Amino acid sequence: QVQLVEFGGGLVQAGGSLRLSCAASGRTGSTYAMGWFRQAPGKEREFVADINWSGGRTYYADSVKGRFTISRDNANVTVYLQMNSLNVEDTAVYYCAAALTDRRYRYWGQGTQVTVSS
C-alpha cells in the first residue's frame, strides 16, 4: 500500500501561481510513476501531468503545457506541481496519484482545493 498526502492548495487570483506537493509513504520502492489529476465541479476527473519515477520523463495535458511543471524528489518520495499563469478554468480539486509496477494509478491522495478568482 502507498499513502499520499497533498499540500499547497488555496485561493489565488488569475495570473498567479501555486505549488502543490505530495508526499508518499508505504510501499514506495515499487513506484513506477506519480501524477496529478484534477476534478472541477460537475466534471469528470482529468489527467494533468505525471512523471516517470526512475527516468524522470514527464507528460502534460495540453491545457497546462507551458504553465505547469511537475518534478520529483526521489529521496523524499515527493512530487511537486508548480502552477503558473493560473486561470479560472484551473479551479478544481487536485489529486495526487501513484502507480506501481503495474503502471496503473491505484493510489490516491485526499485532494487539495485550488480556486482561481478572476
Side-chain angles (χ1 to χ4, degrees):
Q1 295 292 326
V2 175
Q3 295 78 43
L4 302 171
V5 180
E6 299 113 333
F7 302 93
L11 174 64
V12 64
Q13 286 191 327
S17 299
L18 279 176
R19 188 190 194 208
L20 305 182
S21 304
C22 173
S25 60
R27 208 181 86 189
T28 59
S30 301
T31 302
Y32 171 75
M34 290 184 70
W36 291 94
F37 295 72
R38 67 186 182 185
Q39 187 167 19
K43 295 187 178 181
E44 293 188 353
R45 188 175 298 186
E46 64 175 2
F47 169 80
V48 175
D50 69 1
I51 185 165
N52 175 271
W53 206 249
S54 59
R57 190 170 181 177
T58 57
Y59 299 89
Y60 296 93
D62 288 343
S63 59
V64 307
K65 279 181 183 176
R67 301 188 298 122
F68 291 10
T69 302
I70 189 169
S71 60
R72 76 196 194 286
D73 178 344
N74 290 57
N76 294 307
V77 200
T78 299
V79 65
Y80 304 96
L81 186 68
Q82 177 66 42
M83 304 185 294
N84 299 328
S85 302
L86 285 161
N87 56 57
V88 174
E89 290 72 33
D90 295 315
T91 295
V93 177
Y94 283 70
Y95 296 91
C96 174
L100 303 188
T101 51
D102 65 355
R103 305 187 181 186
R104 299 182 67 176
Y105 283 105
R106 298 182 183 275
Y107 302 97
W108 297 85
Q110 80 283 0
T112 185
Q113 177 70 47
V114 171
T115 303
V116 184
S117 62
S118 58

